Amino acid sequence: MRPGPLAPPLSLRLVLSLACATGCAAALEPGDEDAGPSGGDDLLVGNSEGPGGGGGGGSSAPPPGGQPGFGGTPTPDAFVPPPPAGEFSAESVELCAVINAYRQQSGLPPVPVSTTLMRVAAGHVADLVRHPELSEPPCNLHSWSADGTWGACCYTEDHARAQCMWDKPREFSGGTYAGDGFEIAAFGQITPPQALQLWQASTPHHEVILNRGLWTDLSPWPAMGCGLLGGYAVAWFGSQPDPSSP
């Protein structure tokens, strides 16, 4: 499975974590693996159960009105998130902006940009840049090194370490943010609009962004944070509002 046409051609990897009440195995074809930046341009999608081994919720019922068309990549002008001044890169802020512009184009409210989740996203892409080996099999792009104050993990294809992902907002906020975090990620020499296009072209990623499929029970997302650095792009979605954000 390959992403839709992009210019210029990209070498990419996409991974995500799904919160499912019941079977998610259809999202991962037999033999596929969540992989890192070492391979070609295949689009690889991973999945996992929700917090507590399946208690994370999520309905498979489609929302009223069906799936919206892509209609191209929206401009970020529709919604400009208010990040803390100077703390995050312009590319990271733009990534959240284009996601929210796309949600608004699709008839959905924008997701509040979370200071905590922005810090999680910034920390994760920086960690991946310093440790590209984290995304080499058996690990994938959801992995974290032991060089920070967070919990380290090699996130594997069987999603046995999914708690490592869900706990990151609590770890980065010292417990102030009490919700779980869910990540979609991509690797390649990509801009924020191109990252959105790649996620649009993958049904599981697209459903996360638009609270569809397994994610309808978490609609609308209460919090979001984004990071883009060194070819790594991540978007984090939180299950609860962020009390530390404006």
Side-chain angles (χ1 to χ4, degrees):
M1 176 179 176
R2 296 179 184 273
L6 291 174
L10 307 173
S11 175
L12 303 164
R13 287 292 182 270
L14 302 183
V15 295
L16 78 162
S17 174
L18 301 180
C20 322
T22 56
C24 295
L28 188 66
E29 295 297 329
D32 282 353
E33 294 179 352
D34 289 340
S38 60
D41 61 354
D42 292 334
L43 175 68
L44 302 182
V45 178
N47 63 322
S48 73
E49 292 184 349
S59 170
S60 60
Q67 188 97 328
F70 289 167
T73 301
T75 67
D77 299 335
F79 177 77
V80 180
E87 183 171 353
F88 306 112
S89 71
E91 293 80 9
S92 298
V93 172
E94 183 186 356
L95 182 55
C96 278
V98 297
I99 289 172
N100 269 332
Y102 178 57
R103 283 178 59 89
Q104 290 183 298
Q105 177 183 298
S106 304
L108 297 172
V111 182
V113 175
S114 157
T115 301
T116 295
L117 293 181
M118 288 292 290
R119 288 172 179 161
V120 172
H124 197 197
V125 292
D127 195 41
L128 290 168
V129 168
R130 287 192 298 266
H131 296 279
E133 72 279 3
L134 288 172
S135 53
E136 297 290 342
C139 308
N140 65 32
L141 289 172
H142 295 318
S143 302
W144 293 75
S145 78
D147 287 350
T149 58
W150 50 73
C153 69
C154 171
Y155 197 107
T156 53
E157 180 186 359
D158 61 5
H159 312 289
R161 302 294 304 279
Q163 194 72 44
C164 178
M165 175 190 296
W166 304 326
D167 285 343
K168 285 298 174 286
R170 289 182 286 274
E171 293 172 2
F172 270 71
S173 67
T176 301
Y177 186 93
D180 294 301
F182 307 96
E183 178 184 58
I184 56 176
F187 174 83
Q189 295 305 311
I190 47 179
T191 64
Q194 287 174 327
L196 175 62
Q197 289 173 7
L198 290 167
W199 290 328
Q200 286 174 325
S202 164
T203 296
H205 296 76
H206 191 224
E207 290 180 343
V208 173
I209 290 170
L210 295 186
N211 287 114
R212 295 186 178 274
L214 300 166
W215 304 93
T216 55
D217 285 355
L218 289 169
S219 181
W221 286 111
M224 175 176 65
C226 305
L228 198 158
L229 181 69
Y232 295 94
V234 302
W236 282 77
F237 297 89
S239 64
Q240 295 184 17
D242 185 356
S244 68
S245 295

